[in-house]
Amino acid sequence: MERIPILRIGTLLLVTIQVDLYDDLALRLQDDLSNRIAELEATGVLIDISGLEIVDSFIGRTLANIAAIARVLDAETVVVGMQPAVAITLVELGMSLPGIRTALNVDLGMEYLRQAATGENGVGTDHYAE
Amino acid sequence: MRTVSEQIITRSEVLPIRTQIDLVHVRQRVRTWLSEERFTLIDQTKIVTAASELARNALEHGGGGEMEMSLLAVGARKGIRLKFSDHGPGIADISKAMKDGYTTAGGMGLGLSGSRRLMSEFEIQSSPESGTVVTVTRWK
């Protein structure tokens, strides 16, 4: 059964999607990531989609689900590397991916997750305000 | 001399939509054509995304079907037309189904409305007897 590999760097999980995502593969990634977050007590998930030529509503919804599940498991998710043509298409399609944190590249995404883990700059703490 | 150019189909191909893997093939095949015909990257991305949405609709709501893709030429102008047919139960209320966020399958409800925005022309026919046919065209 085909799976997308999940790498661990410290308390962060890193996923690079380089294959054509069919629906079951996307759902399997969602399940695998959820399990790995709990198992490894991960604080952050970085998903690199620079290899994706399109993000349709199914893939968009799966990314949003992953971010929502991670949040419930006390981990932050950041999606990085979206191609400009994909961003333009997504917005025209009607999906602005609310609830998904994005960064332009892996470096910026990692920096965000590290800050979120240490609570620097208030990142990652706003959910607990009041 | 002709004053009105005729619409000519210069290329045509039919692909099955029976499984999730077929959805991937549809996307890849549409992409290959568009790149060969030198559509811009943004156009390619929009058209392939619309194809993915409509093919998934045909699979999930129509129980599968097929996509016919045709390359059109009107004078010097080129376009691509994608026709998705299924033999499902049809759509009871098309105007409702065309609205953003309307869904019967638990999705985002952006398949029809979103792909209409991504393409230049959009046509839909549906009946319980003949299923649903969605035809979309985008001109270069």
Side-chain angles (χ1 to χ4, degrees):
Chain A
M1 194 158 56
E2 195 180 355
R3 294 196 122 82
I4 296 172
I6 299 170
L7 304 179
R8 180 169 73 122
I9 304 172
T11 62
L12 306 181
L13 299 179
L14 178 64
V15 175
T16 303
I17 304 173
Q18 280 168 328
V19 292
D20 235 315
L21 260 192
Y22 53 91
D23 298 1
D24 278 349
L25 189 57
L27 293 175
R28 218 171 286 148
L29 175 65
Q30 181 182 311
D31 291 351
D32 288 351
L33 265 175
S34 310
N35 290 327
R36 297 290 279 170
I37 291 168
E39 199 180 297
L40 301 169
E41 297 179 7
T43 59
V45 177
L46 184 140
I47 305 174
D48 178 9
I49 59 162
S50 57
L52 280 187
E53 289 185 330
I54 67 150
V55 173
D56 64 8
S57 63
F58 186 87
I59 300 171
R61 177 158 52 112
T62 306
L63 291 174
N65 285 347
I66 288 173
I69 295 166
R71 177 103 289 284
V72 174
L73 294 172
D74 199 20
E76 289 286 325
T77 302
V78 62
V79 172
V80 309
M82 185 184 292
Q83 295 176 14
V86 172
I88 292 167
T89 302
L90 259 183
V91 170
E92 204 160 310
L93 185 64
M95 282 196 106
S96 48
L97 299 181
I100 298 188
R101 181 79 202 200
T102 58
L104 284 180
N105 56 46
V106 174
D107 283 343
L108 292 170
M110 292 295 273
E111 194 183 324
Y112 167 77
L113 289 177
R114 288 205 183 98
Q115 283 175 359
T118 57
E120 270 176 56
N121 302 338
V123 175
T125 58
D126 50 343
H127 302 275
Y128 308 106
E130 290 163 60
Chain B
M1 228 176 99
R2 274 220 191 95
T3 48
V4 177
S5 300
E6 251 181 282
Q7 185 171 296
I8 303 162
I9 294 173
T10 56
R11 206 177 163 187
S12 181
E13 190 174 313
V14 175
L15 297 170
I17 303 172
R18 302 251 166 252
T19 65
Q20 284 182 20
I21 303 300
D22 288 342
L23 298 186
V24 175
H25 289 156
V26 161
R27 298 202 286 249
Q28 286 171 346
R29 202 65 196 124
V30 173
R31 170 77 68 176
T32 303
W33 269 38
L34 293 170
S35 134
E36 283 169 10
E37 302 297 338
R38 296 173 188 281
F39 277 73
T40 66
L41 180 61
I42 288 178
D43 276 357
Q44 289 182 30
T45 308
K46 288 181 179 179
I47 298 164
V48 173
T49 304
S52 186
E53 297 294 336
L54 295 171
R56 183 176 287 104
N57 274 354
L59 183 65
E60 285 185 356
H61 304 288
E66 59 181 38
M67 179 191 78
E68 183 185 351
M69 61 174 173
S70 312
L71 196 72
L72 310 175
V74 177
R77 204 169 179 216
K78 275 184 188 171
I80 187 163
R81 173 169 296 159
L82 307 173
K83 182 180 172 188
F84 298 83
S85 324
D86 67 51
H87 303 287
I91 301 169
D93 186 339
I94 290 182
S95 61
K96 209 167 162 190
M98 288 303 302
K99 286 204 181 100
D100 270 355
Y102 178 78
T103 175
T104 54
M108 307 280 301
L110 293 171
L112 286 178
S113 55
S115 40
R116 174 153 78 171
R117 284 192 289 272
L118 293 172
M119 302 296 283
S120 325
E121 290 164 25
F122 184 100
E123 209 180 296
I124 182 164
Q125 286 171 323
S126 188
S127 78
E129 297 78 34
S130 55
T132 301
V133 179
V134 179
T135 310
V136 290
T137 309
R138 188 162 175 116
W139 298 98
K140 220 172 151 181

